[in-house]
Amino acid sequence: MTDTIRNPLFDTLFADKAADSRPFLFLDDDRILSYADFHALTGRIANVLVSNGVVPSDRVAVQVPKSAEALALYAACVRAGAVFLPLNTAYTAAEIGYFVGDAEPRLVICDPAAEAALAPIAAETGASLMTLGTNGTGSLADAAETAPESFETIARETGDLAAILYTSGTTGRSKGAMLTQQNLLSNAKTLAEYWRFSADDVLLHALPIFHTHGLFVATNVIATVGASMVFLPGFKLEPVLDGLKRATAMMGVPTFYTRLLASPEFTRERVAHIRLFVSGSAPLLADTHIAFEERTGHRILERYGMTETNMNTSNPCEGERRAGTVGYPLPGVDVRIADPETGAPVEEGAIGMIEVHGPNVFKGYWRMPEKTRSEFRDDGYFITGDLGRIDPDGYVTIVGRGKDLIISGGYNIYPKEIELAIDAIDGVTESAVIGVPHPDFGEGVVGIVVRDEGAAIDETALLQSLGTSLARFKQPKRIFFSEELPRNTMGKVQKAALRDTYATLFTSA
Ligand code: MCA
Ligand code: AMP
């Protein structure tokens, strides 16, 4: 550990390993980046950030493909006291426009291929634009190449912001969750200990690095203990099967595990040496849990978190990993079940709103004080929007969602946002968007659309119109037309009835 902590998050993750020659990243082009190499790279990138006008607390918005340099950019932002704002690589320019307008970053960094589309967006808010592609391409990489390694880390307090991650909302407007150094650091330390990570571990990393799971849960835990990662650009079966050979642990969304199980090459022998498989971001079906154990002899460890809270609960490392549950509240995290309307505690074992409190819980939504107030109880507990219960022996089970949310392959999709985009198309009267069981993504998005009288718009034309406004993963996999939407006596669309109608759309052979 460095003598004096100047920047708690950066110092704990990277500064105290600045001279460490042990591997941090095993890359897919066979390069190995040691902790020392990585630390030097953060210094060079931090110098580039500062020479491009970034001062402490400035936002740096980043939509770049996954790479070692992209990960170093995250660490460099923390080191330079900037607020890292990662964005899904699937977002369209229209979607990026909203985030840039809302967050007003000093600097926008994008894939060289997106430069022409994003230049006017950056210019509108007065942000500078730089690029970072794969394999060390782009203006940021070029500038970093010649920048000095030495950089005096900017001092930060634990309560200062380290990142803003946008999450969609039930009203369709995305909210920026403000995460402090303390939020990230406390969770990384807790998880590293709870999951028994040590410097000997090698994590298979195939998750994207623009969300909590791949960025904070995976990377921060590994860097906290000085372990290594097999760092893959994404989840593709062959490289993952190959990468597992040298790994001791893997983290993934349930789709990773169902895809592995679908491969005959995923055998007990292949993973006999693995210590830990972790699943989260979406419900892991008990069937998958059981099939995984039958195939491999390993029980997947399921945990539960949110962008706003980092990780809240986890099944134990030693002890029973109970299928269908998300385990115990993590040490230092208070979890309670409350009446969704009043916030009053429910009887032991009863179903209610999951509420959480602890050093992991975010500071609030960026420039949305009222929204922030409405999602916290007066005593400081955050209202997750997830419905669950706590069994007498302490295991938490998520039984549903109090929020209208679809989780597809670990990505959150808010129906309201999709409905607004569909309703804006000529010829559409109204629409309802639902999620139904999908064999690969867990839930698949389906749109039910009522057309204006005489309008001829069909499924293909509708999907084409959505192409420029919505990221591909959010677009309905199928659209159906109906004369009207089913409504209850209050006029509210009965989504449960629609979900029943289309329940087997993707799962019937
Ligand atoms: C890709 N497609 C999807 C998804 N991903 N459609 C629906 N849902 C998805 N998740 C679409 C593409 O647009 C494309 O459509 C087609 O599927 C194939 O695209 P491809 O890029 O080849 O897909 P893939 O690379 O196989 O990606 C699937 C994936 C990926 C590996 C499951 O979505 C993924 O890495 N998901 C992880 C998300 C994650 O990290 N979530 C954590 C959030 P077309 O062919 O029509 O063009 S953090 C969180 O939730 C909290 C805090 C927590 O607890 O962790
Ligand atoms: P995000 O907005 O991407 O942070 O997603 C957070 C949401 O993902 C939570 O509110 C839950 O609804 C869901 N989630 C995360 N982990 C799990 C899990 N293990 N089981 C069920 N749902 C989960």
Side-chain angles (χ1 to χ4, degrees):
M1 184 61 72
T2 42
D3 294 342
T4 339
I5 297 277
R6 284 178 62 79
N7 181 318
L9 185 60
F10 183 79
D11 289 358
T12 309
L13 299 187
F14 300 111
D16 67 347
K17 303 166 195 88
D20 201 328
S21 60
R22 280 173 310 146
F24 175 40
L25 301 178
F26 295 105
L27 301 170
D28 63 334
D29 59 6
D30 294 332
R31 268 189 308 151
I32 299 175
L33 235 65
S34 69
Y35 273 95
D37 296 334
F38 190 81
H39 185 267
L41 190 53
T42 67
R44 285 195 261 121
I45 297 177
N47 276 310
V48 175
L49 297 177
V50 170
S51 59
N52 278 275
V54 172
V55 298
S57 301
D58 274 350
R59 277 75 57 207
V60 176
V62 174
Q63 188 196 33
V64 299
K66 184 175 173 182
S67 68
E69 290 74 16
L71 195 67
L73 174 56
Y74 151 60
C77 284
V78 176
R79 190 170 182 188
V83 180
F84 187 64
L85 196 169
L87 295 160
N88 193 320
T89 49
Y91 287 154
T92 61
E95 289 166 313
I96 299 293
Y98 168 78
F99 301 120
V100 170
D102 191 57
E104 297 185 306
R106 169 81 56 183
L107 190 57
V108 176
I109 301 166
C110 69
D111 191 334
E115 189 174 6
L118 296 195
I121 291 170
E124 202 163 311
T125 56
S128 307
L129 186 73
M130 297 192 85
T131 59
L132 180 63
T134 46
N135 305 323
T137 56
S139 58
L140 178 82
D142 290 345
E145 184 110 15
T146 52
E149 270 175 32
S150 150
F151 179 85
E152 184 159 357
T153 301
I154 303 289
R156 294 270 88 185
E157 304 283 332
T158 49
D160 286 333
L161 291 194
I164 294 180
L165 267 64
Y166 275 84
T167 72
S168 305
T170 42
T171 55
R173 208 176 146 221
S174 285
K175 304 161 289 182
M178 298 188 289
L179 295 155
T180 64
Q181 290 228 339
Q182 169 71 356
N183 295 150
L184 303 181
L185 198 50
S186 68
N187 216 233
K189 285 180 175 169
T190 301
L191 293 174
E193 196 177 327
Y194 204 71
W195 294 339
R196 308 278 183 264
F197 273 92
S198 76
D200 295 332
D201 274 303
V202 180
L203 181 80
L204 185 117
H205 192 303
L207 288 157
I209 53 168
F210 44 71
H211 276 312
T212 296
H213 198 161
L215 184 62
F216 302 139
V217 183
T219 306
N220 289 357
V221 164
I222 290 306
T224 297
V225 299
S228 329
M229 299 196 274
V230 175
F231 202 64
L232 300 175
F235 187 96
K236 293 289 169 246
L237 193 59
E238 285 308 319
V240 168
L241 286 171
D242 196 46
L244 282 171
K245 286 187 202 149
R246 73 179 340 157
T248 65
M250 171 178 161
M251 295 182 191
V253 296
T255 299
F256 287 15
Y257 293 110
T258 52
R259 287 187 181 183
L260 282 172
L261 283 172
S263 165
E265 287 179 61
F266 184 64
T267 59
R268 184 175 285 253
E269 295 68 40
R270 188 180 283 272
V271 293
H273 62 285
I274 303 256
R275 180 180 79 70
L276 184 65
F277 289 95
V278 179
S279 176
S281 308
L284 182 75
L285 295 180
D287 282 354
T288 310
H289 199 281
I290 292 160
F292 197 89
E293 186 175 14
E294 280 173 3
R295 175 85 68 89
T296 65
H298 292 287
R299 284 179 86 89
I300 298 173
L301 182 156
E302 186 171 9
R303 62 30 168 210
Y304 156 62
M306 283 183 81
T307 302
E308 288 91 332
T309 63
N310 298 287
M311 298 305 101
N312 297 314
T313 74
S314 172
N315 272 279
C317 221
E318 292 104 30
E320 188 192 357
R321 297 177 194 167
R322 198 175 290 173
T325 82
V326 290
Y328 302 113
L330 285 166
V333 180
D334 303 310
V335 177
R336 72 183 180 195
I337 308 293
D339 181 297
E341 302 305 324
T342 63
V346 297
E347 276 176 39
E348 193 185 351
I351 291 170
M353 178 62 68
I354 302 178
E355 300 185 351
V356 295
H357 181 265
N360 53 316
V361 177
F362 75 135
K363 196 169 180 171
Y365 294 112
W366 172 255
R367 292 181 180 164
M368 287 188 181
E370 276 166 31
K371 187 77 201 156
T372 303
R373 260 193 300 281
S374 70
E375 301 214 1
F376 281 89
R377 300 284 181 205
D378 291 343
D379 60 358
Y381 274 73
F382 175 66
I383 307 165
T384 63
D386 293 310
L387 300 174
R389 61 160 202 275
I390 304 181
D391 288 340
D393 59 359
Y395 281 81
V396 177
T397 302
I398 299 174
V399 298
R401 296 177 202 137
K403 49 193 174 191
D404 193 12
L405 164 69
I406 299 167
I407 305 185
S408 172
Y411 287 142
N412 287 5
I413 299 164
Y414 276 88
K416 188 77 195 167
E417 184 188 359
I418 319 304
E419 289 160 1
L420 289 172
I422 296 176
D423 295 352
I425 295 171
D426 265 358
V428 172
T429 308
E430 60 173 348
S431 62
V433 167
I434 54 169
V436 297
H438 190 286
D440 188 28
F441 295 127
E443 288 183 278
V445 179
V446 178
I448 297 95
V449 172
V450 178
R451 278 180 283 220
D452 295 345
E453 215 174 292
I457 190 155
D458 63 6
E459 184 177 13
T460 313
L462 260 180
L463 288 174
Q464 212 159 26
S465 302
L466 291 177
T468 51
S469 57
L470 290 179
R472 192 93 178 112
F473 71 86
K474 295 182 191 169
Q475 296 173 25
K477 301 279 176 220
R478 288 298 313 272
I479 286 187
F480 295 94
F481 294 95
S482 172
E483 291 296 305
E484 57 180 9
L485 298 176
R487 291 182 189 277
N488 65 16
T489 48
M490 307 291 288
K492 194 166 183 281
V493 176
Q494 291 175 300
K495 291 205 168 172
L498 289 173
R499 279 192 285 269
D500 283 346
T501 305
Y502 296 99
T504 58
L505 177 66
F506 298 120
T507 48
S508 58

